[in-house]
Amino acid sequence: MMEMLIDLGFVLLKVFAIIIPLMLGVAYLTYAERKLIGYMQIRVGPNRVGPKGWLQPIADALKLLMKEIVIPTNANKFLFVIAPMLSIGPSLAAWAVVPFSEGLVLSNIDASLLYVLAMTSLGVYGVIVAGWASNSKYAFLGAMRSAAQIVAYEIAMGFALVGVLMAAHSINLYEIVMQQSGGIWHWYWMPLLPLFLVYFISGVAETNRAPFDVAEGESEIVAGFHVEYSGMTFAVFFLAEYANIILISVLTALMFMGGWLSPFQGIPLLESTFLAAPSFIWFLAKSAFFAFLFLWFRATFPRYRYDQIMRLGWKVFIPITIIWILVLGVVIAAKVSYVTLGLATVGIAGAYILFNKLQTVSRSK
Amino acid sequence: MTFEKVVFYLFATILVLAAVRVITARNPVHAALFLVLAFFSSSALWILIEAEFLAITLVLVYVGAVMVLFLFVVMMLNINIDVMREGFIKYLPIGVAVAIISAIEMGIVITGNFGADKSPALVRKPADYSNTEAIGQVLYTEYLFAFEVAAVLLLVAIVAAIALTMRKRPNTRYQNPSSQVVVRKEDRLRVVKMDVEDKQS
């Protein structure tokens, strides 16, 4: 009994070792977002609280903690309060199986990829329950939009992951990263280029981020599903959204960008230097890059029209993923190496973009 | 009592309570959410017997997709509970008959070939044993035909569902994205040269 308690204590410590940096990351991701979008729009962003505004997220969190939680009349009290927890629970639970570096993983279960997919698909309940329990038309509209959108993109996301597990012959995240070792041209973004793009864009849609943020849609339905939430309950939704952004970035880095592996691995001159060694820093850098893309998208793209979102999900992404799974199956059966497939894919995509560019240039002349 | 047993009884209790609430809850949305809880608890029980692939798939398919659509529909319908309760006495005989039949069926299964002494004892597999691989092996070799038939059935169901709901309505409006994309400025915009109007004095 005593041993079991000690084991449990150790697991709890490990959980805290993941959650505390994650929460700090979430806090400073919101700061980074405001600063970055500020600079992109030629503003300064928050710079009042603390040196250069560094304490802004802490101040925001304190403010939200102090505020009253208003429960609307005729709202379903129990569901109203539990909805933010339904939202954050799965987005934290998914971190249990994420490997951070060689041997650095809380729980290295066999079906970790499936587990992550299952957990990310649960996040929608928080949104739906919040929208329904709020007893508000705007919130309900947001919840309905979100439900339809997430179901549509879940399928494309799942198919993209099917491609990854076909290539790696494994559904274990650790194993998937290890299969990609051998330099940047062995990472799966090259042979699985279409799936990589579909996965990341579906990830943006799944987290309800711009340009797919119709569930919130500030200019259309006020704040969508969390319009009635205030104080701490709102903060929990906020935390869940940003934790999901980091999760999607981390998963993209793991599955398509070789996780903690170095891009210089396998290059003759650099092979023996520290640059080629796999390390946590590579993992962090790759994840940070994808998180940056989320913020960049928000500053760049206008919001999608709802029917266009549905068309993109059902009629563009799902066919693309199915075709690429077939291509991958043929490649695996014919025993062609992934590097060849990767070079061919990137070559064709590059040639197509170049051709289009030349065409538009000659047309404008 | 071992830790495993505590976990089992905890989730089993939640499962049974949630299942009872599914049929007793007055609000259909509550009933659907209790069904979600029931699925979740039963997937926890499957994890306990080390069937992690099935457990995760149950959550992924039923909780993550099917129940979301269920909730979507239930929330949109705004079901009037009074109307639904009207036929209670009228349908009672049929309901009782169905209940008795299913109770008998369950009784046959449980008393017949089910139970700890009837089936071979569960073997604890080593930690590196892959459940997923084992299921894949039998699914694509031994049960390939049944698997394919099930897949075709699902496809037929999808096509049938779409065919049933896709009615051609005369005033349906829709956009054609490919024609939207190829539109040029010259097709839509006409710059008209006009003489200058008289100056207002």
Side-chain angles (χ1 to χ4, degrees), chain B residues 82-111:
Chain B
D82 290 336
V83 177
M84 285 181 67
R85 283 170 178 252
E86 265 174 8
F88 188 74
I89 300 293
K90 204 170 94 189
Y91 292 115
L92 194 63
I94 306 172
V96 168
V98 171
I100 289 172
I101 291 172
S102 37
I104 291 171
E105 280 177 350
M106 268 200 249
I108 292 170
V109 170
I110 289 172
T111 53

PDB file of all heavy atoms in Angstrom, chain B residues 82-111:
ATOM      1  N   ASP B  82     -44.338  16.858 -23.231  1.00  0.00           N
ATOM      2  CA  ASP B  82     -45.732  16.513 -22.959  1.00  0.00           C
ATOM      3  C   ASP B  82     -46.331  15.679 -24.083  1.00  0.00           C
ATOM      4  O   ASP B  82     -47.049  14.702 -23.835  1.00  0.00           O
ATOM      5  CB  ASP B  82     -46.563  17.794 -22.777  1.00  0.00           C
ATOM      6  CG  ASP B  82     -46.193  18.493 -21.486  1.00  0.00           C
ATOM      7  OD1 ASP B  82     -45.691  17.779 -20.577  1.00  0.00           O
ATOM      8  OD2 ASP B  82     -46.365  19.712 -21.383  1.00  0.00           O
ATOM      9  N   VAL B  83     -46.042  16.082 -25.327  1.00  0.00           N
ATOM     10  CA  VAL B  83     -46.574  15.352 -26.471  1.00  0.00           C
ATOM     11  C   VAL B  83     -46.037  13.925 -26.482  1.00  0.00           C
ATOM     12  O   VAL B  83     -46.751  12.971 -26.771  1.00  0.00           O
ATOM     13  CB  VAL B  83     -46.218  16.087 -27.781  1.00  0.00           C
ATOM     14  CG1 VAL B  83     -46.695  15.295 -28.979  1.00  0.00           C
ATOM     15  CG2 VAL B  83     -46.808  17.487 -27.782  1.00  0.00           C
ATOM     16  N   MET B  84     -44.758  13.797 -26.104  1.00  0.00           N
ATOM     17  CA  MET B  84     -44.150  12.470 -26.127  1.00  0.00           C
ATOM     18  C   MET B  84     -44.753  11.558 -25.060  1.00  0.00           C
ATOM     19  O   MET B  84     -44.740  10.343 -25.188  1.00  0.00           O
ATOM     20  CB  MET B  84     -42.647  12.592 -25.902  1.00  0.00           C
ATOM     21  CG  MET B  84     -41.930  13.098 -27.134  1.00  0.00           C
ATOM     22  SD  MET B  84     -40.197  13.203 -26.834  1.00  0.00           S
ATOM     23  CE  MET B  84     -39.810  11.482 -26.655  1.00  0.00           C
ATOM     24  N   ARG B  85     -45.264  12.153 -23.976  1.00  0.00           N
ATOM     25  CA  ARG B  85     -45.794  11.338 -22.887  1.00  0.00           C
ATOM     26  C   ARG B  85     -47.233  10.914 -23.133  1.00  0.00           C
ATOM     27  O   ARG B  85     -47.748  10.048 -22.426  1.00  0.00           O
ATOM     28  CB  ARG B  85     -45.714  12.130 -21.589  1.00  0.00           C
ATOM     29  CG  ARG B  85     -44.323  12.130 -21.079  1.00  0.00           C
ATOM     30  CD  ARG B  85     -44.132  13.067 -19.945  1.00  0.00           C
ATOM     31  NE  ARG B  85     -42.773  12.930 -19.512  1.00  0.00           N
ATOM     32  CZ  ARG B  85     -42.423  12.345 -18.400  1.00  0.00           C
ATOM     33  NH1 ARG B  85     -43.321  11.885 -17.578  1.00  0.00           N
ATOM     34  NH2 ARG B  85     -41.147  12.232 -18.083  1.00  0.00           N
ATOM     35  N   GLU B  86     -47.872  11.505 -24.132  1.00  0.00           N
ATOM     36  CA  GLU B  86     -49.296  11.259 -24.342  1.00  0.00           C
ATOM     37  C   GLU B  86     -49.626   9.788 -24.552  1.00  0.00           C
ATOM     38  O   GLU B  86     -50.537   9.262 -23.959  1.00  0.00           O
ATOM     39  CB  GLU B  86     -49.785  12.064 -25.559  1.00  0.00           C
ATOM     40  CG  GLU B  86     -50.380  13.394 -25.164  1.00  0.00           C
ATOM     41  CD  GLU B  86     -50.712  14.232 -26.363  1.00  0.00           C
ATOM     42  OE1 GLU B  86     -50.622  13.738 -27.494  1.00  0.00           O
ATOM     43  OE2 GLU B  86     -51.066  15.411 -26.168  1.00  0.00           O
ATOM     44  N   GLY B  87     -48.833   9.121 -25.398  1.00  0.00           N
ATOM     45  CA  GLY B  87     -49.164   7.755 -25.778  1.00  0.00           C
ATOM     46  C   GLY B  87     -48.657   6.702 -24.805  1.00  0.00           C
ATOM     47  O   GLY B  87     -48.528   5.543 -25.182  1.00  0.00           O
ATOM     48  N   PHE B  88     -48.364   7.081 -23.566  1.00  0.00           N
ATOM     49  CA  PHE B  88     -47.720   6.144 -22.640  1.00  0.00           C
ATOM     50  C   PHE B  88     -48.552   4.874 -22.455  1.00  0.00           C
ATOM     51  O   PHE B  88     -48.035   3.760 -22.599  1.00  0.00           O
ATOM     52  CB  PHE B  88     -47.508   6.838 -21.295  1.00  0.00           C
ATOM     53  CG  PHE B  88     -46.680   6.032 -20.354  1.00  0.00           C
ATOM     54  CD1 PHE B  88     -45.310   5.924 -20.543  1.00  0.00           C
ATOM     55  CD2 PHE B  88     -47.261   5.359 -19.288  1.00  0.00           C
ATOM     56  CE1 PHE B  88     -44.550   5.174 -19.678  1.00  0.00           C
ATOM     57  CE2 PHE B  88     -46.498   4.613 -18.425  1.00  0.00           C
ATOM     58  CZ  PHE B  88     -45.132   4.516 -18.616  1.00  0.00           C
ATOM     59  N   ILE B  89     -49.868   5.033 -22.165  1.00  0.00           N
ATOM     60  CA  ILE B  89     -50.711   3.861 -21.912  1.00  0.00           C
ATOM     61  C   ILE B  89     -50.897   3.048 -23.192  1.00  0.00           C
ATOM     62  O   ILE B  89     -50.859   1.823 -23.187  1.00  0.00           O
ATOM     63  CB  ILE B  89     -52.094   4.308 -21.379  1.00  0.00           C
ATOM     64  CG1 ILE B  89     -51.931   5.086 -20.080  1.00  0.00           C
ATOM     65  CG2 ILE B  89     -53.016   3.109 -21.146  1.00  0.00           C
ATOM     66  CD1 ILE B  89     -51.419   4.288 -18.910  1.00  0.00           C
ATOM     67  N   LYS B  90     -51.046   3.780 -24.309  1.00  0.00           N
ATOM     68  CA  LYS B  90     -51.307   3.123 -25.587  1.00  0.00           C
ATOM     69  C   LYS B  90     -50.145   2.197 -25.980  1.00  0.00           C
ATOM     70  O   LYS B  90     -50.367   1.086 -26.458  1.00  0.00           O
ATOM     71  CB  LYS B  90     -51.523   4.199 -26.665  1.00  0.00           C
ATOM     72  CG  LYS B  90     -52.357   3.706 -27.849  1.00  0.00           C
ATOM     73  CD  LYS B  90     -52.741   4.850 -28.753  1.00  0.00           C
ATOM     74  CE  LYS B  90     -51.749   5.014 -29.884  1.00  0.00           C
ATOM     75  NZ  LYS B  90     -51.979   6.241 -30.649  1.00  0.00           N
ATOM     76  N   TYR B  91     -48.916   2.683 -25.767  1.00  0.00           N
ATOM     77  CA  TYR B  91     -47.765   1.894 -26.203  1.00  0.00           C
ATOM     78  C   TYR B  91     -47.244   0.972 -25.114  1.00  0.00           C
ATOM     79  O   TYR B  91     -46.275   0.256 -25.329  1.00  0.00           O
ATOM     80  CB  TYR B  91     -46.644   2.825 -26.671  1.00  0.00           C
ATOM     81  CG  TYR B  91     -46.988   3.571 -27.928  1.00  0.00           C
ATOM     82  CD1 TYR B  91     -47.124   4.944 -27.942  1.00  0.00           C
ATOM     83  CD2 TYR B  91     -47.200   2.872 -29.116  1.00  0.00           C
ATOM     84  CE1 TYR B  91     -47.460   5.627 -29.093  1.00  0.00           C
ATOM     85  CE2 TYR B  91     -47.543   3.542 -30.279  1.00  0.00           C
ATOM     86  CZ  TYR B  91     -47.667   4.911 -30.265  1.00  0.00           C
ATOM     87  OH  TYR B  91     -48.006   5.569 -31.404  1.00  0.00           O
ATOM     88  N   LEU B  92     -47.877   1.021 -23.914  1.00  0.00           N
ATOM     89  CA  LEU B  92     -47.364   0.238 -22.799  1.00  0.00           C
ATOM     90  C   LEU B  92     -47.268  -1.264 -23.100  1.00  0.00           C
ATOM     91  O   LEU B  92     -46.227  -1.871 -22.845  1.00  0.00           O
ATOM     92  CB  LEU B  92     -48.232   0.486 -21.554  1.00  0.00           C
ATOM     93  CG  LEU B  92     -47.615  -0.017 -20.247  1.00  0.00           C
ATOM     94  CD1 LEU B  92     -46.321   0.737 -19.974  1.00  0.00           C
ATOM     95  CD2 LEU B  92     -48.583   0.180 -19.094  1.00  0.00           C
ATOM     96  N   PRO B  93     -48.315  -1.892 -23.680  1.00  0.00           N
ATOM     97  CA  PRO B  93     -48.206  -3.345 -23.942  1.00  0.00           C
ATOM     98  C   PRO B  93     -47.010  -3.695 -24.819  1.00  0.00           C
ATOM     99  O   PRO B  93     -46.262  -4.641 -24.511  1.00  0.00           O
ATOM    100  CB  PRO B  93     -49.524  -3.666 -24.666  1.00  0.00           C
ATOM    101  CG  PRO B  93     -50.450  -2.576 -24.303  1.00  0.00           C
ATOM    102  CD  PRO B  93     -49.633  -1.364 -24.063  1.00  0.00           C
ATOM    103  N   ILE B  94     -46.794  -2.929 -25.911  1.00  0.00           N
ATOM    104  CA  ILE B  94     -45.661  -3.221 -26.808  1.00  0.00           C
ATOM    105  C   ILE B  94     -44.358  -3.059 -26.048  1.00  0.00           C
ATOM    106  O   ILE B  94     -43.455  -3.908 -26.119  1.00  0.00           O
ATOM    107  CB  ILE B  94     -45.680  -2.277 -28.035  1.00  0.00           C
ATOM    108  CG1 ILE B  94     -47.042  -2.371 -28.726  1.00  0.00           C
ATOM    109  CG2 ILE B  94     -44.565  -2.635 -28.992  1.00  0.00           C
ATOM    110  CD1 ILE B  94     -47.217  -1.354 -29.823  1.00  0.00           C
ATOM    111  N   GLY B  95     -44.291  -1.984 -25.283  1.00  0.00           N
ATOM    112  CA  GLY B  95     -43.062  -1.713 -24.525  1.00  0.00           C
ATOM    113  C   GLY B  95     -42.770  -2.828 -23.559  1.00  0.00           C
ATOM    114  O   GLY B  95     -41.630  -3.306 -23.474  1.00  0.00           O
ATOM    115  N   VAL B  96     -43.811  -3.284 -22.836  1.00  0.00           N
ATOM    116  CA  VAL B  96     -43.610  -4.358 -21.859  1.00  0.00           C
ATOM    117  C   VAL B  96     -43.158  -5.627 -22.569  1.00  0.00           C
ATOM    118  O   VAL B  96     -42.232  -6.322 -22.113  1.00  0.00           O
ATOM    119  CB  VAL B  96     -44.919  -4.594 -21.059  1.00  0.00           C
ATOM    120  CG1 VAL B  96     -44.818  -5.885 -20.255  1.00  0.00           C
ATOM    121  CG2 VAL B  96     -45.197  -3.424 -20.139  1.00  0.00           C
ATOM    122  N   ALA B  97     -43.783  -5.913 -23.735  1.00  0.00           N
ATOM    123  CA  ALA B  97     -43.404  -7.121 -24.479  1.00  0.00           C
ATOM    124  C   ALA B  97     -41.932  -7.070 -24.871  1.00  0.00           C
ATOM    125  O   ALA B  97     -41.175  -8.034 -24.661  1.00  0.00           O
ATOM    126  CB  ALA B  97     -44.283  -7.248 -25.730  1.00  0.00           C
ATOM    127  N   VAL B  98     -41.487  -5.912 -25.411  1.00  0.00           N
ATOM    128  CA  VAL B  98     -40.084  -5.768 -25.823  1.00  0.00           C
ATOM    129  C   VAL B  98     -39.180  -5.916 -24.608  1.00  0.00           C
ATOM    130  O   VAL B  98     -38.142  -6.601 -24.659  1.00  0.00           O
ATOM    131  CB  VAL B  98     -39.863  -4.403 -26.515  1.00  0.00           C
ATOM    132  CG1 VAL B  98     -38.383  -4.173 -26.739  1.00  0.00           C
ATOM    133  CG2 VAL B  98     -40.609  -4.345 -27.820  1.00  0.00           C
ATOM    134  N   ALA B  99     -39.586  -5.310 -23.484  1.00  0.00           N
ATOM    135  CA  ALA B  99     -38.767  -5.379 -22.285  1.00  0.00           C
ATOM    136  C   ALA B  99     -38.614  -6.821 -21.819  1.00  0.00           C
ATOM    137  O   ALA B  99     -37.510  -7.263 -21.477  1.00  0.00           O
ATOM    138  CB  ALA B  99     -39.391  -4.534 -21.181  1.00  0.00           C
ATOM    139  N   ILE B 100     -39.729  -7.574 -21.842  1.00  0.00           N
ATOM    140  CA  ILE B 100     -39.663  -8.978 -21.377  1.00  0.00           C
ATOM    141  C   ILE B 100     -38.758  -9.790 -22.283  1.00  0.00           C
ATOM    142  O   ILE B 100     -37.897 -10.550 -21.822  1.00  0.00           O
ATOM    143  CB  ILE B 100     -41.085  -9.601 -21.330  1.00  0.00           C
ATOM    144  CG1 ILE B 100     -41.863  -8.954 -20.175  1.00  0.00           C
ATOM    145  CG2 ILE B 100     -41.021 -11.107 -21.152  1.00  0.00           C
ATOM    146  CD1 ILE B 100     -43.327  -9.337 -20.144  1.00  0.00           C
ATOM    147  N   ILE B 101     -38.904  -9.586 -23.627  1.00  0.00           N
ATOM    148  CA  ILE B 101     -38.066 -10.351 -24.566  1.00  0.00           C
ATOM    149  C   ILE B 101     -36.595 -10.061 -24.326  1.00  0.00           C
ATOM    150  O   ILE B 101     -35.768 -10.978 -24.225  1.00  0.00           O
ATOM    151  CB  ILE B 101     -38.457 -10.023 -26.029  1.00  0.00           C
ATOM    152  CG1 ILE B 101     -39.847 -10.593 -26.331  1.00  0.00           C
ATOM    153  CG2 ILE B 101     -37.441 -10.618 -26.998  1.00  0.00           C
ATOM    154  CD1 ILE B 101     -40.384 -10.149 -27.667  1.00  0.00           C
ATOM    155  N   SER B 102     -36.262  -8.760 -24.198  1.00  0.00           N
ATOM    156  CA  SER B 102     -34.838  -8.467 -24.031  1.00  0.00           C
ATOM    157  C   SER B 102     -34.334  -8.951 -22.676  1.00  0.00           C
ATOM    158  O   SER B 102     -33.178  -9.378 -22.561  1.00  0.00           O
ATOM    159  CB  SER B 102     -34.541  -6.974 -24.228  1.00  0.00           C
ATOM    160  OG  SER B 102     -35.554  -6.175 -23.717  1.00  0.00           O
ATOM    161  N   ALA B 103     -35.205  -8.932 -21.641  1.00  0.00           N
ATOM    162  CA  ALA B 103     -34.777  -9.452 -20.344  1.00  0.00           C
ATOM    163  C   ALA B 103     -34.488 -10.943 -20.451  1.00  0.00           C
ATOM    164  O   ALA B 103     -33.484 -11.440 -19.922  1.00  0.00           O
ATOM    165  CB  ALA B 103     -35.859  -9.198 -19.297  1.00  0.00           C
ATOM    166  N   ILE B 104     -35.367 -11.675 -21.175  1.00  0.00           N
ATOM    167  CA  ILE B 104     -35.144 -13.122 -21.341  1.00  0.00           C
ATOM    168  C   ILE B 104     -33.845 -13.377 -22.096  1.00  0.00           C
ATOM    169  O   ILE B 104     -33.029 -14.219 -21.711  1.00  0.00           O
ATOM    170  CB  ILE B 104     -36.347 -13.769 -22.093  1.00  0.00           C
ATOM    171  CG1 ILE B 104     -37.590 -13.744 -21.193  1.00  0.00           C
ATOM    172  CG2 ILE B 104     -36.017 -15.196 -22.506  1.00  0.00           C
ATOM    173  CD1 ILE B 104     -38.860 -14.157 -21.906  1.00  0.00           C
ATOM    174  N   GLU B 105     -33.642 -12.602 -23.183  1.00  0.00           N
ATOM    175  CA  GLU B 105     -32.407 -12.783 -23.971  1.00  0.00           C
ATOM    176  C   GLU B 105     -31.172 -12.579 -23.109  1.00  0.00           C
ATOM    177  O   GLU B 105     -30.222 -13.368 -23.145  1.00  0.00           O
ATOM    178  CB  GLU B 105     -32.398 -11.797 -25.140  1.00  0.00           C
ATOM    179  CG  GLU B 105     -33.260 -12.254 -26.304  1.00  0.00           C
ATOM    180  CD  GLU B 105     -33.296 -11.233 -27.420  1.00  0.00           C
ATOM    181  OE1 GLU B 105     -32.819 -10.097 -27.225  1.00  0.00           O
ATOM    182  OE2 GLU B 105     -33.809 -11.577 -28.478  1.00  0.00           O
ATOM    183  N   MET B 106     -31.203 -11.485 -22.328  1.00  0.00           N
ATOM    184  CA  MET B 106     -30.061 -11.206 -21.461  1.00  0.00           C
ATOM    185  C   MET B 106     -29.859 -12.331 -20.461  1.00  0.00           C
ATOM    186  O   MET B 106     -28.742 -12.758 -20.204  1.00  0.00           O
ATOM    187  CB  MET B 106     -30.299  -9.890 -20.729  1.00  0.00           C
ATOM    188  CG  MET B 106     -29.733  -8.705 -21.453  1.00  0.00           C
ATOM    189  SD  MET B 106     -29.539  -7.387 -20.299  1.00  0.00           S
ATOM    190  CE  MET B 106     -30.723  -6.250 -20.807  1.00  0.00           C
ATOM    191  N   GLY B 107     -30.989 -12.825 -19.924  1.00  0.00           N
ATOM    192  CA  GLY B 107     -30.908 -13.915 -18.956  1.00  0.00           C
ATOM    193  C   GLY B 107     -30.254 -15.146 -19.559  1.00  0.00           C
ATOM    194  O   GLY B 107     -29.380 -15.772 -18.944  1.00  0.00           O
ATOM    195  N   ILE B 108     -30.649 -15.473 -20.819  1.00  0.00           N
ATOM    196  CA  ILE B 108     -30.069 -16.643 -21.496  1.00  0.00           C
ATOM    197  C   ILE B 108     -28.564 -16.473 -21.645  1.00  0.00           C
ATOM    198  O   ILE B 108     -27.785 -17.384 -21.336  1.00  0.00           O
ATOM    199  CB  ILE B 108     -30.727 -16.850 -22.884  1.00  0.00           C
ATOM    200  CG1 ILE B 108     -32.188 -17.274 -22.702  1.00  0.00           C
ATOM    201  CG2 ILE B 108     -29.974 -17.900 -23.686  1.00  0.00           C
ATOM    202  CD1 ILE B 108     -32.984 -17.259 -23.991  1.00  0.00           C
ATOM    203  N   VAL B 109     -28.162 -15.267 -22.082  1.00  0.00           N
ATOM    204  CA  VAL B 109     -26.729 -15.036 -22.313  1.00  0.00           C
ATOM    205  C   VAL B 109     -25.969 -15.160 -20.995  1.00  0.00           C
ATOM    206  O   VAL B 109     -24.938 -15.828 -20.910  1.00  0.00           O
ATOM    207  CB  VAL B 109     -26.508 -13.647 -22.946  1.00  0.00           C
ATOM    208  CG1 VAL B 109     -25.023 -13.309 -22.955  1.00  0.00           C
ATOM    209  CG2 VAL B 109     -27.055 -13.626 -24.354  1.00  0.00           C
ATOM    210  N   ILE B 110     -26.503 -14.517 -19.942  1.00  0.00           N
ATOM    211  CA  ILE B 110     -25.749 -14.464 -18.690  1.00  0.00           C
ATOM    212  C   ILE B 110     -25.694 -15.842 -18.038  1.00  0.00           C
ATOM    213  O   ILE B 110     -24.638 -16.284 -17.575  1.00  0.00           O
ATOM    214  CB  ILE B 110     -26.383 -13.431 -17.731  1.00  0.00           C
ATOM    215  CG1 ILE B 110     -26.117 -12.023 -18.290  1.00  0.00           C
ATOM    216  CG2 ILE B 110     -25.800 -13.542 -16.336  1.00  0.00           C
ATOM    217  CD1 ILE B 110     -26.833 -10.930 -17.570  1.00  0.00           C
ATOM    218  N   THR B 111     -26.827 -16.573 -18.028  1.00  0.00           N
ATOM    219  CA  THR B 111     -26.809 -17.872 -17.355  1.00  0.00           C
ATOM    220  C   THR B 111     -26.189 -18.952 -18.229  1.00  0.00           C
ATOM    221  O   THR B 111     -25.716 -19.959 -17.724  1.00  0.00           O
ATOM    222  CB  THR B 111     -28.240 -18.304 -16.980  1.00  0.00           C
ATOM    223  OG1 THR B 111     -29.043 -18.246 -18.169  1.00  0.00           O
ATOM    224  CG2 THR B 111     -28.832 -17.399 -15.912  1.00  0.00           C
TER     225      THR B 111
END
